[in-house]
Amino acid sequence: MLSRVPKTWLILPCYNEALRFPVEEVVRFTRGCPAIRVCFVNDGSADQTEAMLRTTAERIGPRAIVLTLPRNCGKAEAVRRGVLHALAVDDAEFVGYWDADLATPLDEVLRFLAA
């Protein structure tokens, strides 16, 4: 599909996702795509989302970061802040966001990049 995966930031906004976030799928995908960087945005969650995201980011390594917002700002604002934060850390050819529930499988990211 792609001869070269472009350097890409994927923003994942999360609100109270501690019990349902698909950690293993995210870890598997990012390990298989070294050009993908992930910025998890904890949007003021009241559960253990921040701890879960930090553990997930540690498993992924230096290509994953966590941004924690002190209060819930809503999905659009969480995405906006995640984009700004990610680009302040490192540049990329592409930036996009993905819903934390993975209603669209992460493998589809590669199809988006190919288009």
Side-chain angles (χ1 to χ4, degrees):
M1 185 183 315
L2 283 173
S3 60
R4 179 187 76 82
V5 176
K7 190 172 169 183
T8 302
W9 270 111
L10 196 59
I11 312 302
L12 278 93
C14 300
Y15 179 70
N16 291 340
E17 296 286 343
L19 297 178
R20 61 181 173 259
F21 188 77
V23 172
E24 296 306 320
E25 290 179 59
V26 173
V27 170
R28 178 195 53 79
F29 176 75
T30 54
R31 284 186 178 161
C33 297
I36 304 289
R37 279 107 177 96
V38 181
C39 177
F40 299 109
V41 181
N42 175 23
D43 188 16
S45 298
D47 64 359
Q48 294 299 311
T49 295
E50 181 176 5
M52 178 271 304
L53 292 176
R54 291 202 181 281
T55 300
T56 303
E58 287 174 12
R59 287 183 62 194
I60 293 168
R63 294 180 296 112
I65 58 176
V66 177
L67 171 64
T68 295
L69 305 179
R71 64 179 182 80
N72 181 258
C73 298
K75 182 177 177 179
E77 182 64 10
V79 170
R80 186 184 78 81
R81 289 191 192 183
V83 168
L84 294 174
H85 184 72
L87 291 175
V89 170
D90 191 16
D91 64 344
E93 293 177 62
F94 293 99
V95 178
Y97 84 90
W98 218 253
D99 287 330
D101 65 1
L102 302 187
T104 303
L106 282 168
D107 292 336
E108 293 297 314
V109 169
L110 302 176
R111 288 179 44 153
F112 276 96
L113 292 171

